[in-house]
Structure formats: C-alpha cells, structure tokens
Amino acid sequence: MSATTDTHPDTGTPQPAAPAGPTGGSRRGAGLPLRLLVVLGLVVLLAVLPLVDLSVPGVLPGATYTPGTLQLMALALVFASLALTYHVIFGVAGLLSFGHALYLAIGAYGLGVVLERTDLGLVPAMLLTLLVGAVVALVLGAVGLRVGGISFAMVTLAFAQAGSVLIRRNSDVTGGEEGLRLDTTHVPDALVGVADTRNLYWVALVLLVVVFALVTWFERSRAGHVAAATRENELRVRVLGLRPFAVKLLAFVTGSVLAVVVGMVYLLLQSGATPRIASADFTLTILVIVVLGGLGSRWGAVVGGIVYTLLDQRLTTLAASDAVESLPAVLSVPLGEPLFILGTLFILVVLFVPGGLVGLGARLAGARSRAARPGALAAGEDGP
C-alpha cells in the first residue's frame, strides 16, 4: 500500500502525511464534546441546587433551598460574571483598568433610575440602560485608549471617581450615601420578594452562562486573537498592518457593556444599589478576584468570583463569632478583619501560586498524571 503524501506549501515537494493515530486530530476532536458535556453537567447541577436539601457546613450558611443560601450563591454567580467581564479587558486585551466598577454602577443605578422615573417595563428599561452604558463605554474608552499602560489605568480611575462623586452628590436621583432602592412597580412578581429568591438565583445562573459563552466567543474570534497579540507585542501587530486601537476599544466596550448587564442583575438581586459599587475600591476587588482565580483564564475568573464571595461572607461571620473574640488580642484583632485575611490570602497566591487557584489545580493534576505514568509504562513493558 502506498503512503499518503501531502504537498509542501512553499516548494510543492511531496511530503509524507502525518499519521492518523489515536493521539492525532481524532482525540482532540473527541475532547471538545467531552468538555462540553462536563460543562453542561455542571450547569445542570447548579440549576437543581435550589430544588434539593444539600448542606455544606462551613461553606454555606444553610441548606441550598433556603432563601439566605440562595441569595449568597446567586451573589457568587453574579461576581463570577463580573470577573469574566473584567477578564475580557485585563486578561485578554491586557488593559489594566481601575474604573471597571463604573459600568457595574451604570447598570445598577441606570436601571434603578429608569424604573423609578419612567413607566417603562423591566425589559425596555434594561434595553435603555444597556444603550446608555454602551455609549458611555464607547466614549470613555475612545478617550482613555489614547494613552496606554499606567496612564490608561489613571484615566479610568479618574472616570470612576467622577462617577462615584456624581452618585454620592445627586441624592435626589441616586439616593446619595443611602443608596437607591429598587422600585418594583414594573418588575415581575416572580423576581420580587424573599420567597422568589430561587428565581433570582436562576437568573444569575443564566447570566453567568450567557456571559461565559459571549466571552468565550470573543476570545476565540479574530478580534480576540488580535487583542491577545496586541497585549503581547503591539508594535508587531502594527507592522502586520492591523489596527490595535480599534481592537482594544472593541475589547474595552465588550467587557464594559457586559458589566452593565451584570449591574442590572445585581440591582434585582440586591433590591437596590449603594455608592460602594462605583468606587475604585470595588474595582480593586474585581482585580483581586481575577488574580485569585487565575489571570488570563475564563475558568479562573469564575472560580475566583465564587470563592471570593463565599470567603468574604464566611470570614465576616467568623469575625463576629465568640470564638474569635475570646482569643488574645494579637490574634483576635487581625482575625476580626475579613479584609486582612483576604489580603493575606491574595499575597500568598501571588507569591506562591502565580497561576491562581485554577493554575494550582492544573499543577496538581499534572503532577498526578506524571506520577501515574511510570507505573503505566512498567505495566506495558511487562505485557506481551
């Protein structure tokens, strides 16, 4: 039987074709459906949690069907979605922004003001808020991307601070320091009240799935590849005749608009909004979440958002417990500050686990497979 040959793309010389074996394209092709099935199974598992009586002591405050636990889990999913939107800007395009919280605030406060001041229903109000957020992101992104590096970070910080001042000073519109309560007149009854927390949880889950799908699509698109190349070497991208500014602006607007959507769901879940979500401190929280989970990884953003939310809630409960208060002052003072513990954890991750929690999991899995490989090879040598 004659060997199959391919033609060299430059010289036209016949070349032997790569053998099609179990380690070739067939295995890679089979890996994608398997990965998709795993993701679908995870989504189904998360979807049925409100319907079962599952308790995880030390992690969740109660059974998964209780309103308090559902509220916490929904907030964790919202933060995971928010981290994904920042991943587009920082992880894919390499744009360090200190003003990402501004777009979360635009979504939350924008929807709240529209529902309170107009007679629009929930969906039209969300569309109007989304349009305003897209325009703001386009304008501010076009201005901020005229500079790069730390200068861009400072420009975004200035915009975020301006937005925070506007929210705090315009108490007639935004509620000022007291925050803005959700006007439920035009909100469906299924999304209002403690008894319907389960529905809000499912909304948060749908949000995470949609945001993850859109971020994956963008990252694998031509624009996403160019954005990643620009992050690594912008000069080389320019030499190739591409336009880094347009791609970076597209990534910035995409991440910001998705953050506006997250902000609207955040408003529904929390039944209001406070000025803190527009502060630069909140953006730093998002940055910590992304780095904690694993910078440059979509799954890292998801894991970081969920872990951070659960840690923040449980550490707050721990700080107020009698066990901590009974300790000596040298221990009770730092343990009584959740931010101190979270900050220490962040430092440890940066120093010893550069790839974040997802990178740590990949390392452990790789070490296990390497440890099992010599045994498999020995078994093969002993065989027929």
Side-chain angles (χ1 to χ4, degrees):
M1 182 180 295
S2 60
T4 305
T5 60
D6 292 332
T7 303
H8 193 281
D10 296 327
T11 63
T13 305
Q15 301 289 333
T23 59
S26 59
R27 176 176 295 183
R28 289 193 299 268
L32 182 59
L34 178 61
R35 192 180 309 169
L36 183 59
L37 288 176
V38 172
V39 173
L40 290 176
L42 180 60
V43 172
V44 171
L45 175 62
L46 292 174
V48 300
L49 284 180
L51 305 177
V52 298
D53 184 359
L54 177 64
S55 298
V56 185
V59 178
L60 299 176
T64 53
Y65 69 89
T66 58
T69 301
L70 287 174
Q71 177 82 8
L72 176 61
M73 293 192 301
L75 186 63
L77 297 179
V78 168
F79 270 79
S81 303
L82 182 61
L84 278 170
T85 67
Y86 193 69
H87 164 73
V88 175
I89 297 175
F90 187 40
V92 178
L95 300 172
L96 178 59
S97 170
F98 288 152
H100 195 61
L102 173 63
Y103 302 97
L104 177 76
I106 289 176
Y109 275 95
L111 179 60
V113 171
V114 171
L115 288 174
E116 183 180 16
R117 303 274 173 158
T118 69
D119 293 328
L120 292 176
L122 179 61
V123 173
M126 294 180 74
L127 292 176
L128 178 59
T129 305
L130 186 63
L131 177 61
V132 172
V135 172
V136 173
L138 182 61
V139 173
L140 299 188
V143 173
L145 287 171
R146 297 296 176 181
V147 294
I150 193 63
S151 299
F152 172 78
M154 292 299 101
V155 170
T156 57
L157 175 61
F159 287 143
Q161 289 297 99
S164 179
V165 170
L166 288 175
I167 290 174
R168 294 177 186 275
R169 296 292 178 87
N170 291 277
S171 57
D172 294 339
V173 178
T174 63
E177 296 289 346
E178 300 297 325
L180 179 67
R181 295 186 60 183
L182 174 63
D183 186 347
T184 60
T185 304
H186 302 290
V187 178
D189 294 337
L191 301 178
V192 179
V194 177
D196 293 313
T197 307
R198 180 171 59 183
N199 297 331
L200 289 170
Y201 169 82
W202 283 326
V203 170
L205 179 59
V206 170
L207 171 72
L208 177 59
V209 172
V210 171
V211 171
F212 189 92
L214 291 176
V215 170
T216 302
W217 173 78
F218 176 81
E219 195 169 349
R220 292 179 178 177
S221 67
R222 185 174 184 271
H225 289 304
V226 176
T230 303
R231 178 194 66 210
E232 299 298 330
N233 193 325
E234 183 172 345
L235 180 59
R236 180 174 297 178
V237 174
R238 292 182 183 275
V239 170
L240 293 175
L242 301 174
R243 301 170 58 189
F245 177 82
V247 174
K248 288 191 293 185
L249 180 59
L250 178 60
F252 182 84
V253 172
T254 299
S256 301
V257 169
L258 290 176
V260 172
V261 178
V262 175
M264 291 187 281
V265 176
Y266 177 88
L267 175 75
L268 296 174
L269 179 63
Q270 299 292 89
S271 298
T274 61
R276 178 180 176 271
I277 65 172
S279 65
D281 292 343
F282 200 82
T283 296
L284 292 178
T285 299
I286 304 171
L287 177 60
V288 169
I289 288 173
V290 172
V291 175
L292 177 66
L295 182 62
S297 168
R298 294 187 301 274
W299 285 108
V302 174
V303 171
I306 294 175
V307 170
Y308 180 92
T309 306
L310 296 178
L311 275 177
D312 185 44
Q313 195 276 340
R314 301 314 294 168
L315 290 176
T316 302
T317 303
L318 176 66
S321 65
D322 295 334
V324 172
E325 293 180 356
S326 63
L327 294 174
V330 67
L331 294 176
S332 63
V333 172
L335 291 179
E337 296 292 336
L339 288 179
F340 175 83
I341 302 176
L342 288 172
T344 303
L345 177 62
F346 176 74
I347 294 173
L348 293 175
V349 168
V350 171
L351 290 179
F352 300 107
V353 192
L357 298 177
V358 170
L360 177 62
R363 288 184 184 181
L364 294 176
R368 181 178 299 179
S369 63
R370 287 193 298 270
R373 193 175 303 164
L377 292 176
E381 291 176 357
D382 295 338

